[in-house]
């Protein structure tokens, strides 16, 4: 039987609608939640992500301050901008789009953002707080995945959840969030050195693909009825497409004939990442107001 398609776009829209109420409550106090968005260089995928984030902020009645910096921007110049934004009264959140050009030390930049404005949840203090279950910003894509599972009432507690990918942005934080006592999954993390990937994926009640490899997960690797969450956003060349490429996930579309639930690409996890980012920005603004 064909899988239930998890509609991330619809879930994200309903979250964004609810956020408008919090944004207007802040507005009554004279506060407009504001995110500084920094993009270094001209990577087309990164540019399209930051444009989508800025558009969503504006639609939700929030402000974005856009910093488009040339690809030869020095690490010192970027650190100086972050320092200025850390101290800026009206800026509640700071997002530095990753990846950064190779001459800039990414970890150094992530560490420079003050944790109270770290709406990406990438700072070591945010990561530590997440692991310990203390308050702090949670990373957007992992929270988007968890919110989708919750919205579709997919049983996470007691499930065997297999994550393919161990990135700092998705795989590692997602595993941590899923083993917390409010989620209670049993988690396996697979990566490029995992032997016999199918052996693990076939065991998954919930399979999360976050490896950045087009169509890595094929139908024969998935247990009948499993919930399959595709975090991959890959651009593959397609001469018949308007811009010469199409977006493709880490999961072969034929998996939908075997899975119980599946997220589409686009329209699955992607819009949820943005909704979670907006939520973190609103929270950052509320935190500032409430001291
Ligand atoms: N690059 C890919 N995903 C993300 C994200 O969630 N935040 C930032 N800052 N950069 C990214």
């Amino acid at each position: 039987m064909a899988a239930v398609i998890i509609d991330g776009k619809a879930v994200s829209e309903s979250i964004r609608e609810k956020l408008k109420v919090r944004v207007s409550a802040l507005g009554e106090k004279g506060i407009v939640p504001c995110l500084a968005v920094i993009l270094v260089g001209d990577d087309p995928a990164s540019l399209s992500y930051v444009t989508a984030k800025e558009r969503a902020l504006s639609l939700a009645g929030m402000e974005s301050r856009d910093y488009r910096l040339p690809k030869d921007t020095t690490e010192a110049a970027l650190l100086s901008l972050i320092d200025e934004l850390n101290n800026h009264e009206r800026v509640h959140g700071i997002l530095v789009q990753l990846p950064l050009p190779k001459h800039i030390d990414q970890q150094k930049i992530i560490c420079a953002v003050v944790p109270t404005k770290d709406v990406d949840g990438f700072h070591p203090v945010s990561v530590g707080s997440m692991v310990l279950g203390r308050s702090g910003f949670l990373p957007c894509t992992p929270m988007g995945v968890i919110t989708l599972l919750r919205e579709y009432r997919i049983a996470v507690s007691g499930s065997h959840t297999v994550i393919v990918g161990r990135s700092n942005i998705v795989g590692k934080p997602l595993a941590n969030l899923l083993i917390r006592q409010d989620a209670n999954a049993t988690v396996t993390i697979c990566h490029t050195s995992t032997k016999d990937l199918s052996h693990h994926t076939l065991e998954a009640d919930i399979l999360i693909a976050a490896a950045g490899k087009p169509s890595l997960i094929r139908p024969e690797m998935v247990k009948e009825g499993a919930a399959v969450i595709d975090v991959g956003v890959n651009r593959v060349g397609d001469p018949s497409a308007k811009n010469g490429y199409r977006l493709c996930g880490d999961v072969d579309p034929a998996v939908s004939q075997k899975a119980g639930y599946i997220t589409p690409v686009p329209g699955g996890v992607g819009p949820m990442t943005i909704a979670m980012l907006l939520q973190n920005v609103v929270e950052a603004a509320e935190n500032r107001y409430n001291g």
Side-chain angles (χ1 to χ4, degrees):
M1 219 175 64
V4 171
I5 309 293
I6 296 180
D7 190 345
K9 195 159 174 277
V11 175
S12 95
E13 270 160 21
S14 105
I15 291 170
R16 284 153 57 170
E17 275 308 308
K18 288 187 199 133
L19 282 176
K20 283 185 185 166
V21 178
R22 287 165 69 184
V23 172
S24 71
L26 283 163
E28 281 165 22
K29 296 165 183 152
I31 298 167
V32 180
C34 172
L35 177 67
V37 180
I38 306 174
L39 173 64
V40 184
D42 48 14
D43 175 63
S46 291
L47 181 62
S48 89
Y49 293 142
V50 300
T51 308
K53 289 170 186 176
E54 288 159 355
R55 187 166 168 271
L57 283 159
S58 155
L59 286 173
M62 300 192 234
E63 192 189 334
S64 69
R65 294 190 178 208
D66 315 335
Y67 297 87
R68 303 274 196 271
L69 307 179
K71 61 176 180 292
D72 60 356
T73 299
T74 63
E75 187 178 282
L78 185 53
L79 287 169
S80 154
L81 172 60
I82 292 171
D83 184 48
E84 183 191 319
L85 296 169
N86 279 341
N87 293 301
H88 200 302
E89 270 297 304
R90 297 175 73 108
V91 170
H92 303 103
I94 302 170
L95 181 142
V96 184
Q97 185 66 26
L98 303 179
L100 287 166
K102 296 245 177 320
H103 66 279
I104 298 177
D105 180 344
Q106 197 152 287
Q107 278 309 315
K108 204 164 167 185
I109 299 302
I110 288 169
C111 289
V113 175
V114 68
T116 49
K117 297 191 181 186
D118 176 35
V119 289
D120 258 328
F122 292 168
H123 191 286
V125 166
S126 307
V127 177
S129 298
M130 173 193 68
V131 173
L132 297 171
R134 296 171 67 99
S135 65
F137 290 113
L138 297 173
C140 304
T141 303
M143 277 313 292
V145 170
I146 286 175
T147 305
L148 282 181
L149 292 170
R150 204 177 286 148
E151 283 291 320
Y152 278 79
R153 302 192 197 293
I154 292 164
V156 175
S157 180
S159 72
H160 183 190
T161 294
V162 176
I163 302 172
V164 183
R166 57 175 156 187
S167 69
N168 288 344
I169 294 181
V170 185
K172 280 188 217 167
L174 193 46
N176 270 287
L177 289 167
L178 287 167
I179 58 168
R180 276 166 40 156
Q181 274 150 343
D182 51 0
N184 276 322
T186 299
V187 177
T188 298
I189 307 183
C190 301
H191 46 74
T192 40
S193 291
T194 298
K195 288 182 188 151
D196 195 359
L197 180 60
S198 298
H199 167 78
H200 298 282
T201 58
L202 275 167
E203 289 291 314
D205 305 310
I206 300 173
L207 176 59
I208 302 171
K213 290 212 177 106
S215 301
L216 172 69
I217 307 297
R218 298 178 307 277
E220 66 273 19
M221 299 167 74
V222 176
K223 182 162 80 175
E224 194 82 44
V228 180
I229 309 294
D230 191 351
V231 184
V233 187
N234 308 293
R235 289 183 169 207
V236 294
D238 180 353
S240 70
K242 197 169 57 183
N243 34 20
Y245 70 87
R246 67 190 157 80
L247 290 182
C248 152
D250 286 359
V251 178
D252 182 332
V255 168
S256 65
Q257 296 308 311
K258 198 153 178 208
Y261 294 84
I262 197 163
T263 59
V265 176
V269 175
M272 292 302 294
T273 298
I274 297 184
M276 297 296 112
L277 173 68
L278 300 194
Q279 194 164 281
N280 280 350
V281 176
V282 171
E283 199 174 306
E286 290 170 345
N287 290 348
R288 167 76 71 82
Y289 182 77
N290 297 326

